[in-house]
Amino acid sequence: MQFYLTNVELREAAGTFKAYFPLRMKQILEQADHSCGGQFKLPYTMAAGEWINHGLRPDWLFNPTEDLEYTWILNRHWHLRELGIAYLLTDDERYVEAYKRHITSWIEQNPKPASLTYEQMVYFQRPGPWRLLEVGLRVQSWVWGYMLMSHSALMDGDFEKKWRDSLAEQATFLSRYLGETSINHATMHMQGLFMVGTFLADHAEAPYWRQLAQERLTLCLHDQIRVDGIQNELTPHYHTASLDMFGTPFLLAKQTGHPFPNSYLQKLKSMVAFSIATIRPDGKAVALSDSDSGAHVRAKVGFIGAICEDEAICQQGEISEDLLWLLGSEKFVYWTERMGGTEKEIRSTVAFPDSGYYVMQDAQQYVFFDAAPLGGAHGHADALHFEWMHRGRLIFGDSGRYTYQEGEWRRYFKGTSAHNTITVDGQDQTPYLSTQQWGEPEATVELHRWLSCEAYDFIDASHHGYARLSEPVAHRRWLLMGRSLPFLLVVDELDGVGTHEIEQMFHLSDKARVMDWSYRIDGGLEASISYEEELGKTSSCRMYWAGSAGAQASLAAKEGWRSDHYGTKKVIPVIAYRQSFTQRAVIATLCLPESETNESKAWQVTLLKVNEMEGRTEIQILLTGSVDSQVAIMVDQRGVSIEEN
């Protein structure tokens, strides 16, 4: 049987696993013991933190939540791979018995649906185990579990025949009902089909399964990956997951004599730059759109570097257990020694103009700016939103995704008010219809300017989501990140018809405290944010607002929510700037971070002013230092000027 490794090589890898991953070994054994009893704790569900009992012969349709994801993820059978690893580590036949019991009970409970039309088969969202996505992932779990425990004497002929027949039936199902190649689901369908076609090499249809899967995986890669290397759903979580989706069949094909073309390899490697750019200085990932902020991205980068045998990519990555089970002990040790060089610490500004993402960064700061399209069902109504970190501290962050379950929480986390941008009259930029569907018209974004130099990074973009209002409004935003003097300037211009209420939001860290806010003599507003003292991190941030002439504005601290992982959320403070306007408004927001070693602590804002003349907006800032030094900053339609004296 052809696979990534033989069973003998997998057994050798178990010893290496014990040496390199002792904590993970304990976790797998605990999870496998629960699985033997029919108890599952399913990630990416609304019961992610609970052990749910499904019985010794599990009920594969039992769902204790109202979240369809629970049933779907349960029927992906991810736990079978962990049962196999547990067996390699212990030789405990209980794990093999559980594997066989779970496979047999699933086959008995879940016959292939026969009465649905072709379109229903391809697109149906029923809470059942035969959705194409679940089939594509489940067959991989079955094969992995089998290979990890195929040396067991309990793997008898009767079970193997039943197992093979069902595996072939599921592969035939995947080959006859083909999903849309522009979304990540189709990649996982064909990832599973290619594995079965490779593993069951002696099956009469295996050559067809392999050929179909390779052709469609190549088409998926072509259709989904944009010219700047970003997966077209524009969601960091799914982009990085796609490294696995495309990478594992690439490796299996190479190791079994059915390689993909070189163009596939080059396209796969082009995806790495964006994954690296989404890694914040704290090691977590940007949680934009339907993303979590887990710290797994460097492991995926290291995976691509190793399977593509590219040391430059490996230097940007980290070691993971997946490499061991895919490459074996010898290659695992070889690539481990080449992982994580000093190059990965070099942070520089990078733009992805085809997709619309801009990452401004240096040794102290990290800004991720969203000037991208919505991105489909996984997108959020977050045009012109951004995240900002300074000296390891998250100042303004994304709220995450929390859930796919229809309801008020899904609507909240996808909505404009959950992001660091502006709402007009309390409306979303794009109308929300349901958990996986947006209304029309979709908010479109236009880039006007992008400037990057030693002194600053600057972006100027607008969106037209509020043009649909009976009295339309256009929102344009400038964002300026200073380098030698760390600061962030956000300028929002709103032009429209009639009178409107706007709210500008800044979602803070859960460790932040809004100390106070006040009105300045010149009519502007200011606020102070403090954080727990942590060595080397930003300790506070001062914010200042100035509006166009006659603006009547107010500040409020309100409750918001952030989700770092699916199914969990926590309360965070949100600063909201509120103002009504007729026809036009300009808001300039200046943010000055402070820490023990940060020179900006000495700077005072002497002037923050919005000037409007002859249809041109000009922002003037004057900062005065403790030793009579000054910094003058001016931003307008012609450019940016920063002068120090």
Side-chain angles (χ1 to χ4, degrees):
M1 298 171 190
Q2 294 180 306
F3 196 58
Y4 298 99
L5 300 175
T6 66
N7 177 264
V8 171
E9 291 170 324
L10 289 168
R11 292 162 76 179
E12 291 174 353
T16 306
F17 184 76
K18 292 178 183 179
Y20 277 82
F21 303 101
L23 179 60
R24 180 68 180 130
M25 182 179 71
K26 291 180 181 178
Q27 293 172 341
I28 283 181
L29 292 177
E30 178 191 6
Q31 291 165 346
D33 287 340
H34 278 281
S35 295
C36 286
Q39 297 175 335
F40 306 110
K41 184 187 289 185
L42 302 181
Y44 309 118
T45 74
M46 297 307 290
E50 306 173 48
W51 289 107
I52 305 297
N53 188 4
H54 287 256
L56 286 177
R57 295 178 63 81
D59 179 349
W60 299 105
L61 294 182
F62 173 63
N63 186 342
T65 76
E66 296 180 1
D67 186 5
L68 294 177
E69 294 292 322
Y70 186 92
T71 299
W72 288 329
I73 288 176
L74 175 68
N75 283 275
R76 295 173 188 178
H77 290 181
W78 286 335
H79 71 285
L80 296 182
R81 187 169 181 263
E82 293 171 345
L83 283 174
I85 295 173
Y87 180 63
L88 282 187
L89 296 172
T90 65
D91 290 322
D92 190 334
E93 299 291 349
R94 289 185 306 121
Y95 301 127
V96 181
E97 292 170 348
Y99 176 87
K100 293 174 60 179
R101 188 167 61 248
H102 292 180
I103 296 285
T104 302
S105 65
W106 187 90
I107 293 172
E108 293 171 353
Q109 293 175 31
N110 297 289
K112 185 182 72 174
S115 60
L116 299 179
T117 66
Y118 179 87
E119 285 193 354
Q120 288 173 318
M121 285 291 199
V122 174
Y123 297 110
F124 79 112
Q125 297 288 306
R126 297 183 180 185
W130 281 90
R131 191 174 68 146
L132 283 169
L133 178 57
E134 275 57 67
V135 180
L137 294 174
R138 180 171 56 250
V139 295
Q140 296 178 66
S141 299
W142 283 27
V143 172
W144 266 109
Y146 180 88
M147 279 305 301
L148 290 162
M149 55 179 67
S150 61
H151 58 292
S152 170
L154 295 182
M155 287 295 190
D156 58 276
D158 289 343
F159 170 76
E160 288 200 7
K161 183 180 185 309
K162 184 181 297 185
W163 178 86
R164 284 171 172 270
D165 289 346
S166 180
L167 199 62
E169 180 182 47
Q170 293 177 72
T172 300
F173 185 84
L174 288 169
S175 69
R176 292 183 180 174
Y177 302 101
L178 304 176
E180 174 57 52
T181 57
S182 64
I183 62 174
N184 67 74
H185 283 209
T187 312
M188 290 178 275
H189 305 165
M190 293 300 103
Q191 182 184 356
L193 182 62
F194 185 75
M195 180 180 283
V196 177
T198 303
F199 187 74
L200 298 183
D202 57 348
H203 193 283
E205 290 191 63
Y208 169 67
W209 292 338
R210 288 196 306 270
Q211 180 179 346
L212 175 65
Q214 282 192 283
E215 289 176 354
R216 287 187 65 79
L217 280 166
T218 302
L219 187 59
C220 284
L221 191 66
H222 177 271
D223 287 352
Q224 291 177 34
I225 308 306
R226 303 166 74 105
V227 296
D228 54 10
I230 299 181
Q231 203 266 351
N232 66 356
E233 291 169 283
L234 302 175
T235 301
H237 179 93
Y238 284 98
H239 172 89
T240 296
S242 293
L243 295 179
D244 260 344
M245 298 177 202
F246 291 114
T248 49
F250 169 82
L251 176 63
L252 182 59
K254 183 170 70 170
Q255 294 190 181
T256 56
H258 306 286
F260 281 86
N262 187 61
S263 59
Y264 187 101
L265 169 64
Q266 298 308 316
K267 195 78 167 179
L268 179 61
K269 291 167 68 172
S270 77
M271 299 172 64
V272 170
F274 181 66
S275 286
I276 293 172
T278 66
I279 304 172
R280 303 187 320 208
D282 61 358
K284 295 183 178 180
V286 170
L288 201 77
S289 296
D290 279 345
S291 296
D292 295 337
S293 59
H296 66 287
V297 179
R298 286 209 188 274
K300 301 302 182 187
V301 171
F303 160 75
I304 292 298
I307 69 170
C308 296
E309 300 181 10
D310 189 316
E311 291 200 20
I313 293 178
C314 277
Q315 288 292 313
Q316 303 293 320
E318 292 176 350
I319 194 63
S320 72
E321 65 180 86
D322 287 340
L323 278 180
L324 175 60
W325 304 118
L326 289 167
L327 298 177
S329 292
E330 183 177 345
K331 289 184 178 179
F332 171 82
V333 172
Y334 175 86
W335 287 110
T336 296
E337 293 172 351
R338 286 152 181 79
M339 290 285 176
T342 56
E343 284 186 40
K344 73 176 184 181
E345 301 304 327
I346 299 174
R347 307 189 68 88
S348 59
T349 290
V350 58
F352 300 91
D354 182 72
S355 298
Y357 288 136
Y358 296 82
V359 181
M360 313 171 201
Q361 53 187 337
D362 58 19
Q364 295 190 65
Q365 296 185 90
Y366 176 90
V367 174
F368 189 103
F369 190 89
D370 180 3
L374 194 61
H378 286 298
H380 289 190
D382 58 359
L384 312 187
H385 158 78
F386 66 94
E387 280 202 344
W388 180 37
M389 291 195 75
H390 179 267
R391 294 187 64 85
R393 178 77 71 185
L394 181 66
I395 310 294
F396 307 133
D398 195 285
S399 294
R401 61 173 168 172
Y402 181 54
T403 183
Y404 289 159
Q405 180 179 319
E406 185 60 83
E408 62 176 315
W409 286 116
R410 178 61 167 160
R411 184 161 192 160
Y412 170 81
F413 279 93
K414 292 194 78 169
T416 304
S417 64
H419 298 87
N420 301 317
T421 185
I422 282 182
T423 61
V424 176
D425 299 333
Q427 299 291 307
D428 289 326
Q429 296 164 343
T430 299
Y432 177 95
L433 293 184
S434 67
T435 176
Q436 297 290 325
Q437 187 177 11
W438 288 105
E440 294 181 351
E442 177 182 318
T444 57
V445 182
E446 181 179 358
L447 177 72
H448 303 288
R449 290 177 291 175
W450 164 244
L451 306 171
S452 183
C453 62
E454 290 185 5
Y456 60 82
D457 288 324
F458 175 76
I459 191 165
D460 172 6
S462 63
H463 81 85
H464 307 284
Y466 294 120
R468 74 178 193 275
L469 301 180
S470 59
E471 295 182 316
V473 176
H475 176 203
R476 184 166 179 170
R477 169 167 278 184
W478 305 345
L479 187 144
L480 175 65
M481 184 192 87
R483 290 182 177 273
S484 58
L485 170 62
F487 69 88
L488 200 72
L489 173 66
V490 181
V491 180
D492 290 301
E493 288 186 331
L494 297 115
D495 285 287
V497 177
T499 299
H500 300 273
E501 299 287 335
I502 57 175
E503 188 172 50
Q504 176 200 49
M505 276 90 42
F506 296 92
H507 293 74
L508 307 179
S509 162
D510 61 309
K511 296 182 178 180
R513 288 189 300 157
V514 182
M515 300 303 292
D516 56 64
W517 58 83
S518 58
Y519 292 88
R520 299 198 309 276
I521 296 176
D522 59 7
L525 295 162
E526 61 181 270
S528 176
I529 305 164
S530 69
Y531 304 91
E532 300 172 3
E533 287 292 340
E534 293 181 68
L535 186 63
K537 289 191 175 183
T538 299
S539 57
S540 64
C541 181
R542 291 174 289 147
M543 298 180 68
Y544 303 85
W545 287 264
S548 46
Q552 297 295 315
S554 64
L555 285 179
K558 64 179 187 177
E559 184 179 87
W561 297 86
R562 173 163 296 129
S563 174
D564 291 326
H565 305 284
Y566 191 104
T568 65
K569 65 182 188 300
K570 56 189 173 186
V571 176
I572 59 168
V574 179
I575 292 181
Y577 172 98
R578 295 164 177 164
Q579 178 188 329
S580 63
F581 77 97
T582 301
Q583 295 186 328
R584 179 170 171 79
V586 180
I587 308 162
T589 309
L590 176 66
C591 307
L592 290 176
E594 300 177 345
S595 62
E596 292 180 0
T597 58
N598 181 6
E599 293 182 358
S600 67
K601 184 174 184 179
W603 296 100
Q604 299 298 319
V605 178
T606 304
L607 176 68
L608 173 61
K609 190 176 182 181
V610 175
N611 298 317
E612 295 192 87
M613 43 197 167
E614 300 177 353
R616 181 167 61 89
T617 299
E618 177 186 84
I619 310 300
Q620 284 185 294
I621 301 171
L622 184 63
L623 304 178
T624 302
S626 56
V627 289
D628 296 327
S629 56
Q630 288 188 325
V631 176
I633 304 167
M634 190 182 76
V635 187
D636 62 15
Q637 279 86 348
R638 294 172 296 187
V640 177
S641 171
I642 302 178
E643 297 182 0
E644 300 186 40
N645 57 57

